[in-house]
Amino acid sequence: MSEPRVGVYVCHCGHNIASAVDVEHVAEWAYKLPFVTIARDNKFMCASTGQEQIEQDVKEHDLTHVVVASCSPHMHEKTFRNACARCGMNPYLFEMANIREHASWVHPNDRDGATNKAKALVSAAVHRVIHHQPLEPMQVNIRPETLVVGGGIAGIQAALEIADAGHHVYMVEREPSIGGHMAMFDKTFPTLDCSACILTPKMFDVGSHPHITLLTYSEVEQVDGYVGNFSVRVRKKARRVDEDLCTGCGSCWEKCPIKVLDTVFEAGLGYRKAIYRPFPQAVPKYPVIDTENCTYYKTGKCRMCEKVCQTNAIRFDAEDEILNIEVGNIVLATGYKLFDCRRIPQYGYGRLENVFTSLEFERLTNAAGPTDGKVVLRDGETVPETVAIIHCVGSRDKHYNSHCSAICCMSSLKFAHLVKEKTGAKVYNFYIDMRPISKGYEEFYHRLLHEGTTFIRGKVSEITDAAHSPEEEGKLVVICEDTLVGKQRRVPVDMVLLAAGLEPRADSSEVGHLFGVSCGDTGFFIERHPKLDPVATMTEGVFIAGACQGAKDIPDSVAQGAAAAARILSTISKGQVILEPIRASIDESRCSGCRICNNMCPYNAIDFVEDLAVSRVNPALCKGCGTCVAACPSQIITGAHFTFDQLMAEIDGIMVDVTADDPFAVEAV
Amino acid sequence: MIENGTFKPVIVGFLCNWCSYRAADLAGTSRMGYPSTLRDIRIMCTGRLDPTFVLRALQKGADGVLIMGCHPGQCHYQAGNYKAIRRFALLKRTLRQLGLEEERVQLHWASAAEGVQFAETVARMTEQIKALGPLDWSHNWPNEDPYAVEEATE
Amino acid sequence: MTQKPKLALYWASSCGGCEIAVLGLHEKILDVAAAFDIVFWPCVMDFKYADVEAMEDGEIDVCFFNGAIRNDENAHLAHLLRRKSKVLVAFGACAFGGSMPGLANFYDRDTMFNWIYMDSPTTINPDKVLPQKRYDTPEGELVLPGFWNTVKTLAQVVPVDYFLPGCPPEAQSIEAAVTAIVAGELPPPGSVIGSDVTVCDECKRTKTEKKIKRFYRPQEIIPDPDICLLEQGLFCAGIGTRSGCGAKCPAVGMGCRGCYGPNEGVLDHGAKILTGIASAIDAETAEEVEIILDTLPDPAGYFYRFHLPDSLLRRKARKNGKKQMDGGPQ
C-alpha cells in the first residue's frame, strides 16, 4: 500500500478557538508531522466552504486521511465524516481533534498552554488516523413495534401518536391503571379546565386502541438487543382478576370488608378496599387484589369477592406472567416522584396536622376525592379562613434539590384561586421568585393579583403552632422574612399548603441502567443534547419524555411525548437504521480459548464455541465498549476504530514534544 | 514539560466517551477554566483501558495519567467501569512496586453533567503532580554501556 | 562440498540452563554438530575472546546468545558477537526479556551490593569490602567488568535478528529454530521464532468462565487435576504467555510462570497478564477488589517475572534523584 497522505484542517471557529489558540501556528506545525500532505487553517470548518475545502483537497491532492481540529466530535464528527464520504473517501478514515471545548474554551487566558495542547491533540489525531481502516456501517431493520414505559400523560401522548400512525405500541405501567399524576389532579393551570375531563378520553383511547397492547400492573425486567431489535421481558404481576371475564361492575370492591389507606392515588387522605380499582375512570377498568391486605391471603378465609362476582373472574391462585416482547424503539416516560415534605422538619408536615402537601390538596379539591371536593382541614369539616401556600418546598435549595421544579409557581397560583373560590379564605402565597414563564401563565398570575391573594416574597423559615400572641392561638404560624419590606413576619393561618418539588423516581438510576440511559446530577435522565436533541438518549432507540427527563408541566410533557413519537415514526418509516461499525471481533485462528473475555460482555455477545475451543463475538449484540478487547491477555480481540495500534499511536502522538520545531516521527507499534 | 522556565506537568487523560468526555465538553461550553496540563484521549468506555496504554504514556514522558469514566452503576455499557476498577486496582499495586507515586495514576468518575467536578479533578491532580515534580521515566536507565558510547563515536 | 555454516553460542548473565537446553536436544545435537561448524562455545569448549576478535566481521553465520546484559563484559561480547555474526539470535528468556537477572531491575546496584556483600544474614564482611572495578595486586592491576544499575535485554544493547523464547527454550523450540536456519526458511528479521497463541491453547485443563474470589499460593491448596488452575485461584500466567512449551507447568499443577514471554504483537507482557487476571476477579466494589487482591502478594513480581527489562517501564523508579545514581562508586 502506498504511503498515507493526511490533510489537516485547523478551525478558528470565528474567535472561539482563535482567541486562545494560535491557529495558524498549529497548522504550520502540523504540516511537519509525519505523512501530512496538507495543513490549513480555516475560519469555519463546519461551514460549507470549510467542507468544500476538504472535498477539493481530497480530489486534488489525493488525500487518504483527514484530520479536522475544531470542536467536540459530539458536535461535528458526523458533519466531517459526511464531507469525506461525499468525495468518495471512507468516512472512518477521518479523525477529529477537539481544540475548542477541550482547549480554547477552558484555557482562555493561557495562550501558550492552549496552543501547545492543541498541537498535542492534533499530533495525536494525525498519528492515530494513519492507522484507521475503512469501516462499513451496519444496517439493521427497525421493528415497527414500540415499547412505552409509563402511562402518564407523556407516555399516553407518545403511545397514541405512534398507534394512530398505524404502528403497534406496548404500554407498560407499574400501577393498576394508567393516568399517572395527572389523573389525581382536579384542575389544570392556567386554563382551569378539569384534568379528568381532558385526560380520561385519552386514557380510554389507549385502552381501546387496536394498535396498543396495554400492560398495566406490569414492570420491565430485562432489556436486550439494540435499536430496531430490542427484546424486552415484562413481568405482568398477578391481578388475581381474570381480565377476560371481569366486567368492572364493582360488586367485589363494594362488598370487600377490608378498608386500606390509599397512599398512592388518594395521597393518604382516603381509603380503598383490599380489592380495588384506583379510581373510577381507571383504564383498564379491572380491579386488582392487594394481597398484603386481603384477608384470604392472611387467613385463607373470606373470599367475599369471589362469592359476589357474577362472572367468576376472581383468581386467587393466579401467578405473575412473564411476557417477552420484541420492539424496535422504546420511550421512557416514567414520570417523577413528589418531594417528601417530611425532609424539612421545620415545616411540620406529618407533625402539624393542617400542613398539607400539594398532592393532598389536589385530592381535597377534587370532586371525586375523599371530601367530594370540599376544602376542609384535617378534621374533615372545618373550612379554613386563612390559608398559606409555600412555594419552592424542596426545590431551589441545595440541601434538598438545587433545581427549580418548574410547576410549583403555577400550581400554587392555581391552589390560591381554588381556595378562594371554594372557601373565600384569605390566601397568602410565600414565594422566592415568581416564574410564570409559559404561554398564558403571566396572565394567570395577574388574575390572582386582582383576586386579592397576598403575595409575600421570602423563604419561609418555619411553620409552628407555638403562639406568641392571642391571635396566634390555635393557628399555624408561618414565619418568614418579607424581603420586599425587609422585616420579619409571623402570619397566623388555619391551613398550610406545601408546594412540593418534583424529584426523579427513587429507582430512576436502576431503571436508567436497565435501558442504558444515564442520570444527570439531579437524578433525571440525561437527554442526548440539552437543546437540540431533548428526547433522544445516548442509547440509540431509547427516548425519554415527560418529567423523567426533568421537572416539567403538562403541556411540555405532552410536547415531549409527541416529539419522541415523531422521532420513532421517522425511523419506522425509514425501515432501517445505520449502526456505528464500532464492534469487537476475535481472531479465532489465534484465540487460545482461555475464556477470560467470556464474562466481560454485559450483552452476552461473546459465545464460547466448544468444539473449536475459541470465543466468538456476535456482532449484532456487540455495542463496541471494548471491555473484552482490553481484557484479552492474548491481545487478539480487535475493537474496530479503537484498536490497540490506533490508541497506542494516539498516545505516542499526544506525547510528542510540542515545543520542538520538528515533531518526531511515528513509531511503528 | 518545562514551559516558561517552570515545570508544567503533562497528564494523559483517558476519558470515557459517554460521561467524562462529555463532562470535559461541558466544562468547555460552560467556560470553566482548568490548567492546560491534560491531554485527553477518548475511549468508548473505561472498560477499554488496556493497562498497556497507561504504561506507554508514562514511558513516553507523561508525568501522570488520569482515567475518568461514568460513576459506578451508571456505565453506558452497564458494567465496563467495574472492570476498570478491577484493572486499575491491580495496576496501582503493580505501579507501586515499580516505585511510582500513588498520585501519578488516578481513576475518577464524572457524569456528563459534572463539568465542574471534571475541571476540579484536573486542577487538583495538576497541583499534586507539580508537588511531586517531573517523572521523566526514561531517565531511569541512563546509558551504562561503555561500548555503546564507543560505537557511537566511531 | 560447501563449507558448513559457522555457529557460535554464548552465555552472558544467565544460569547456564540454556546451554543444558541445547544438550537437551539429545541425539539431535549430533545433527547440529553435523550441520554446523561450532566456532565459539565457551561453556563447552575452550575458546578465547581473542579468537572471536580475530574473526572477520560477519564470519559467524549464526550466534545463539543467551543471558541478559548487566555488566560491561556482557555488553562487550554482545557488541563483538553482533559484529562478527550474520544472524544474531536472542536465545532464551534472559537474552529476550531479561528474565531472572532482570528482576534486579526492582533494585539498583547499591541496594544489591549492600545486601549481598554486607547486610544479608549469611555474610561476614567486617571490612565492608565491596566489588571493585580495579584492584592492584603484586602481579599487576586486575580489572573487573563494571556492574550496571539496570539489566538490559540483548536487543536493548545491539540489534537482534531473532528471538527464541523460553526459560530455557524447549527442545522442540530449539529444533524448530535450527531446522529453519538450516533450511534457510527464516521469518522476517525481528521475529520471535514461535507460536502466536498463548499457553491456554496447549493446556489440557477444562476452562469455564473465570470468577476468582481469592488467590491461593501453590502450597495452600492441592488443585483439581482437570480444571483450569486460574479458576481455582492459583496464579497462572498462561493466559498471556506465548505457547510452545507444551503447557508443561500447568500439566503438573503449577501455574504457568510466563517464561515464553508475551504473545505475538504484545508490547508489555506484564500488562497483559495483569489485565487478564484483573478481569477474572469476581468483585463489584473497589473494597471487594482490594480484599481479593490482598491474596495475591507481589503482583509485579508475578507479572514481570521473565520480562521486566523489556517491559515498557523496564525497571523500578530509582530513588534519590536519577543523576546521582549514575556515576557513583563501584
Side-chain angles (χ1 to χ4, degrees):
Chain A
M1 211 184 100
S2 56
E3 277 203 343
R5 298 170 61 81
V6 184
V8 179
Y9 301 87
V10 189
C11 182
H12 291 247
C13 194
H15 291 295
N16 280 307
I17 294 171
S19 62
V21 171
D22 185 345
V23 173
E24 288 95 347
H25 170 68
V26 173
E28 282 163 24
W29 183 83
Y31 184 65
K32 298 172 194 162
L33 286 165
F35 305 115
V36 173
T37 309
I38 278 189
R40 300 180 192 275
D41 60 288
N42 187 298
K43 277 280 177 225
F44 287 104
M45 276 312 294
C46 60
S48 56
T49 47
Q51 297 186 49
E52 282 156 18
Q53 181 75 65
I54 298 177
E55 293 170 47
Q56 193 186 330
D57 287 348
V58 169
K59 286 184 194 128
E60 281 181 19
H61 299 276
D62 208 13
L63 299 181
T64 55
H65 301 78
V66 169
V67 168
V68 174
S70 56
C71 48
S72 170
H74 291 296
M75 187 69 72
H76 274 310
E77 190 172 53
K78 269 190 190 152
T79 311
F80 297 122
R81 277 186 184 168
N82 289 340
C84 293
R86 277 198 298 276
C87 44
M89 236 177 90
N90 183 290
Y92 292 90
L93 299 177
F94 162 78
E95 177 66 8
M96 211 160 167
N98 183 349
I99 61 166
R100 191 180 72 175
E101 282 84 344
H102 292 197
S104 68
W105 278 353
V106 283
H107 316 307
N109 306 316
D110 177 10
R111 195 167 175 81
D112 285 352
T115 303
N116 282 338
K117 182 167 174 180
K119 283 156 83 175
L121 296 178
V122 168
S123 164
V126 170
H127 278 70
R128 184 192 212 279
V129 82
I130 58 176
H131 291 272
H132 280 203
Q133 280 149 5
L135 297 172
E136 294 305 326
M138 263 174 50
Q139 276 205 347
V140 295
N141 292 333
I142 293 272
R143 296 191 68 99
E145 298 87 352
T146 301
L147 169 70
V148 175
V149 185
I153 184 60
I156 287 173
Q157 186 70 29
L160 287 175
E161 299 273 0
I162 296 167
D164 284 348
H167 302 293
H168 201 83
V169 174
Y170 295 92
M171 175 177 275
V172 174
E173 166 60 48
R174 186 182 278 176
E175 298 295 330
S177 169
I178 59 170
H181 281 104
M182 189 177 170
M184 304 175 190
F185 301 160
D186 179 42
K187 297 282 194 296
T188 56
F189 57 76
T191 49
L192 298 174
D193 40 4
C194 151
S195 191
C197 307
I198 56 176
L199 177 66
T200 45
K202 280 180 173 283
M203 290 167 60
F204 180 79
D205 285 353
V206 169
S208 60
H209 206 293
H211 293 311
I212 296 179
T213 303
L214 182 55
L215 302 167
T216 51
Y217 209 44
S218 302
E219 290 191 52
V220 174
E221 288 195 330
Q222 195 182 327
V223 182
D224 289 320
Y226 49 95
V227 56
N229 300 275
F230 291 106
S231 304
V232 182
R233 192 173 75 206
V234 178
R235 175 176 295 271
K236 196 168 185 311
K237 289 174 280 186
R239 236 175 224 282
R240 298 169 205 276
V241 172
D242 189 328
E243 294 175 18
D244 292 335
L245 298 175
C246 174
T247 62
C249 71
S251 40
C252 55
W253 66 78
E254 275 162 25
K255 295 283 190 266
C256 174
I258 303 298
K259 261 176 119 180
V260 181
L261 187 70
D262 183 356
T263 53
V264 178
F265 192 79
E266 295 294 3
L269 292 180
Y271 293 86
R272 60 165 171 80
K273 296 293 184 62
I275 183 166
Y276 71 104
R277 182 164 77 180
F279 53 101
Q281 308 93 325
V283 173
K285 62 191 173 189
Y286 320 111
V288 51
I289 297 180
D290 165 9
T291 54
E292 272 181 32
N293 291 298
C294 171
T295 315
Y296 173 74
Y297 290 95
K298 288 178 181 163
T299 65
K301 296 201 182 96
C302 181
R303 307 179 83 120
M304 178 59 84
C305 47
E306 193 180 47
K307 283 172 210 145
V308 299
C309 181
Q310 294 185 356
T311 57
N312 296 322
I314 304 296
R315 296 282 177 274
F316 287 117
D317 57 351
E319 284 181 4
D320 292 1
E321 273 179 76
I322 300 293
L323 303 173
N324 289 302
I325 56 179
E326 308 283 327
V327 296
N329 289 283
I330 296 171
V331 180
L332 284 182
T334 49
Y336 66 91
K337 170 169 90 62
L338 205 67
F339 174 76
D340 178 3
C341 296
R342 286 181 183 82
R343 288 172 58 196
I344 310 182
Q346 62 270 32
Y347 284 2
Y349 178 71
R351 176 167 53 86
L352 303 172
E353 66 171 356
N354 290 317
V355 177
F356 290 80
T357 67
S358 43
L359 203 56
E360 284 176 330
F361 182 76
E362 293 283 2
R363 296 310 301 156
L364 272 188
T365 184
N366 194 309
T371 59
D372 300 329
K374 285 198 282 290
V375 175
V376 287
L377 298 185
R378 200 76 71 171
D379 64 9
E381 48 194 46
T382 315
V383 176
E385 289 172 9
T386 43
V387 176
I389 301 172
I390 320 292
H391 294 221
C392 297
V393 176
S395 308
R396 306 180 67 201
D397 184 332
K398 67 178 179 185
H399 298 104
Y400 309 105
N401 293 299
S402 53
H403 65 263
C404 167
S405 291
I407 60 139
C408 329
C409 281
M410 285 304 290
S411 58
S412 299
L413 293 178
K414 177 183 79 179
F415 296 160
H417 172 82
L418 293 175
V419 168
K420 249 189 156 26
E421 182 182 78
K422 295 199 168 181
T423 66
K426 171 128 190 75
V427 181
Y428 299 90
N429 271 47
F430 294 86
Y431 69 102
I432 309 176
D433 295 292
M434 283 305 301
R435 295 176 164 178
I437 49 161
S438 290
K439 190 175 174 182
Y441 289 8
E442 182 71 16
E443 292 84 339
F444 188 69
Y445 176 37
H446 276 268
R447 177 175 168 187
L448 265 288
L449 287 170
H450 288 292
E451 281 179 5
T453 300
T454 305
F455 287 87
I456 297 171
R457 185 173 178 275
K459 192 171 162 67
V460 171
S461 59
E462 191 183 356
I463 296 159
T464 177
D465 55 356
H468 279 192
S469 60
E471 59 268 26
E472 288 181 3
E473 287 297 337
K475 301 269 187 183
L476 294 169
V477 183
V478 180
I479 305 168
C480 115
E481 185 197 349
D482 185 334
T483 57
L484 290 183
V485 293
K487 68 172 226 188
Q488 197 75 17
R489 276 184 189 265
R490 294 175 63 88
V491 182
V493 296
D494 298 320
M495 181 186 213
V496 174
L497 308 181
L498 302 177
L502 271 49
E503 284 184 338
R505 290 266 181 204
D507 59 354
S508 66
S509 174
E510 292 85 62
V511 171
H513 202 236
L514 189 63
F515 291 92
V517 177
S518 30
C519 300
D521 52 359
T522 53
F524 292 110
F525 295 142
I526 301 185
E527 59 283 344
R528 183 175 275 265
H529 191 281
K531 298 175 198 86
L532 303 180
D533 212 351
V535 294
T537 66
M538 288 301 168
T539 299
E540 295 278 347
V542 178
F543 298 85
I544 47 179
C548 64
Q549 181 259 355
K552 60 177 61 63
D553 58 15
I554 294 166
D556 284 358
S557 298
V558 170
Q560 282 203 334
R567 292 291 304 276
I568 288 167
L569 287 171
S570 81
T571 68
I572 295 174
S573 67
K574 221 191 287 170
Q576 285 186 323
V577 70
I578 308 249
L579 294 185
E580 280 268 27
I582 299 174
R583 298 271 178 283
S585 58
I586 295 177
D587 179 352
E588 286 179 26
S589 70
R590 292 191 57 202
C591 175
S592 307
C594 72
R595 306 193 63 173
I596 290 280
C597 62
N598 286 191
N599 50 0
M600 288 295 101
C601 184
Y603 308 105
N604 296 319
I606 303 179
D607 291 321
F608 186 67
V609 189
E610 291 283 351
D611 49 343
L612 299 174
V614 296
S615 297
R616 186 177 285 168
V617 176
N618 178 345
L621 294 178
C622 172
K623 299 202 180 188
C625 64
T627 303
C628 62
V629 183
C632 179
S634 299
Q635 200 172 295
I636 53 94
I637 308 185
T638 304
H641 215 54
F642 287 86
T643 67
F644 183 79
D645 289 358
Q646 288 163 1
L647 288 166
M648 289 295 273
E650 191 170 355
I651 297 165
D652 292 354
I654 221 163
M655 286 311 302
V656 299
D657 183 0
V658 290
T659 57
D661 268 352
D662 257 321
F664 54 77
V666 174
E667 185 171 322
V669 171
Chain B
M1 192 171 77
I2 303 298
E3 202 176 270
N4 305 327
T6 53
F7 167 54
K8 180 175 167 189
V10 173
I11 302 171
V12 173
F14 293 96
L15 309 184
C16 124
N17 179 56
W18 305 98
C19 292
S20 26
Y21 193 89
R22 277 160 199 274
D25 278 0
L26 180 63
T29 40
S30 321
R31 311 297 200 278
M32 294 162 188
Y34 57 85
S36 57
T37 48
L38 183 77
R39 301 178 182 179
D40 58 276
I41 289 173
R42 182 165 64 127
I43 48 181
M44 291 309 277
C45 176
T46 46
R48 174 65 185 96
L49 190 86
D50 183 333
T52 313
F53 299 160
V54 177
L55 303 177
R56 178 60 144 202
L58 297 172
Q59 178 215 14
K60 286 283 172 181
D63 299 298
V65 173
L66 172 61
I67 306 152
M68 290 185 82
C70 309
H71 284 276
Q74 293 183 9
C75 176
H76 180 75
Y77 301 103
Q78 301 186 11
N81 50 3
Y82 288 106
K83 314 296 187 297
I85 291 174
R86 302 176 199 173
R87 293 175 194 144
F88 177 73
L90 194 46
L91 177 64
K92 239 179 119 131
R93 286 172 180 244
T94 306
L95 290 176
R96 197 182 300 148
Q97 285 184 276
L98 289 168
L100 212 86
E101 300 95 339
E102 297 273 307
E103 297 87 348
R104 298 267 186 200
V105 180
Q106 301 189 18
L107 172 68
H108 291 283
W109 315 120
S111 79
E114 292 177 337
V116 182
Q117 287 84 341
F118 177 85
E120 285 170 358
T121 304
V122 177
R124 191 171 55 242
M125 185 162 174
T126 300
E127 286 312 309
Q128 288 169 335
I129 292 190
K130 265 189 189 164
L132 292 175
L135 182 64
D136 239 352
W137 192 269
S138 60
H139 289 77
N140 279 309
W141 56 86
N143 185 33
E144 296 176 89
D145 181 356
Y147 302 95
V149 178
E150 193 179 285
E151 278 185 356
T153 51
E154 261 169 22
Chain C
M1 191 187 123
T2 53
Q3 218 181 358
K4 286 198 281 184
K6 290 180 177 165
L7 176 69
L9 297 98
Y10 184 68
W11 53 353
S13 286
S14 69
C15 65
C18 283
E19 315 285 336
I20 296 174
V22 175
L23 299 176
L25 289 172
H26 299 299
E27 67 280 3
K28 292 260 169 56
I29 191 81
L30 299 174
D31 296 345
V32 176
F36 293 98
D37 184 8
I38 296 173
V39 294
F40 183 58
W41 194 357
C43 173
V44 175
M45 294 177 254
D46 188 18
F47 295 95
K48 302 296 181 213
Y49 292 169
D51 298 336
V52 183
E53 277 155 7
M55 292 178 191
E56 295 288 318
D57 283 2
E59 190 181 322
I60 301 168
D61 291 281
V62 181
C63 174
F64 285 163
F65 190 108
N66 75 70
I69 313 295
R70 72 183 316 185
N71 63 36
D72 293 351
E73 185 198 21
N74 298 156
H76 175 210
L77 265 290
H79 287 285
L80 181 62
L81 285 166
R82 172 67 278 184
R83 253 203 327 275
K84 303 297 176 191
S85 308
K86 288 194 187 78
V87 172
L88 179 65
V89 179
F91 187 99
C94 291
F96 183 3
S99 192
M100 294 301 132
L103 291 174
N105 284 358
F106 280 115
Y107 308 93
D108 53 45
R109 184 174 54 216
D110 288 355
T111 316
M112 283 188 291
F113 278 11
N114 284 336
W115 174 253
I116 292 162
Y117 296 105
M118 305 217 272
D119 301 337
S120 84
T122 54
T123 300
I124 300 168
N125 183 4
D127 301 330
K128 301 195 186 307
V129 179
L130 287 178
Q132 310 289 308
K133 214 171 157 180
R134 292 172 193 284
Y135 187 67
D136 284 319
T137 65
E139 294 79 18
E141 188 191 49
L142 288 180
V143 180
L144 277 177
F147 191 89
W148 296 0
N149 269 301
T150 301
V151 178
K152 289 192 171 175
T153 69
L154 182 58
Q156 284 166 355
V157 177
V158 294
V160 168
D161 298 302
Y162 298 103
F163 300 87
L164 194 61
C167 179
E170 289 296 325
Q172 65 267 29
S173 301
I174 302 172
E175 213 185 302
V178 171
T179 313
I181 292 165
V182 172
E185 289 165 356
L186 280 162
S191 302
V192 178
I193 301 174
S195 77
D196 61 356
V197 292
T198 60
V199 173
C200 297
D201 193 59
E202 295 182 320
C203 178
K204 299 281 187 290
R205 289 174 178 270
T206 317
K207 298 158 199 93
T208 52
E209 291 188 6
K210 289 165 179 51
K211 288 178 175 166
I212 301 175
K213 278 286 180 199
R214 67 154 291 180
F215 291 95
Y216 295 93
R217 306 190 73 181
Q219 71 272 21
E220 290 178 314
I221 55 165
I222 296 170
D224 182 292
D226 300 320
I227 298 172
C228 167
L229 292 170
L230 191 55
E231 285 162 29
Q232 300 182 60
L234 285 167
F235 176 81
C236 178
I239 50 171
T241 299
R242 191 187 295 262
S243 73
C245 57
K248 282 187 166 169
C249 298
V252 296
M254 175 58 72
C256 166
R257 315 278 84 195
C259 76
Y260 263 60
N263 195 15
E264 188 64 35
V266 170
L267 283 188
D268 193 288
H269 191 206
K272 286 294 145 179
I273 304 171
L274 187 163
T275 194
I277 297 280
S279 300
I281 291 173
D282 187 19
E284 286 301 303
T285 65
E287 293 74 29
E288 280 177 330
V289 173
E290 295 298 337
I291 291 166
I292 295 173
L293 290 183
D294 281 342
T295 60
L296 184 73
D298 188 18
Y302 274 128
F303 303 153
Y304 290 108
R305 191 195 297 261
F306 290 91
H307 279 256
L308 180 61
D310 84 331
S311 70
L312 290 173
L313 297 188
R314 292 196 185 191
R315 60 161 300 127
K316 185 179 177 175
R318 287 165 64 189
K319 282 177 278 181
N320 312 327
K322 286 142 196 166
K323 287 267 159 55
Q324 199 186 320
M325 299 292 300
D326 302 334
Q330 266 199 22

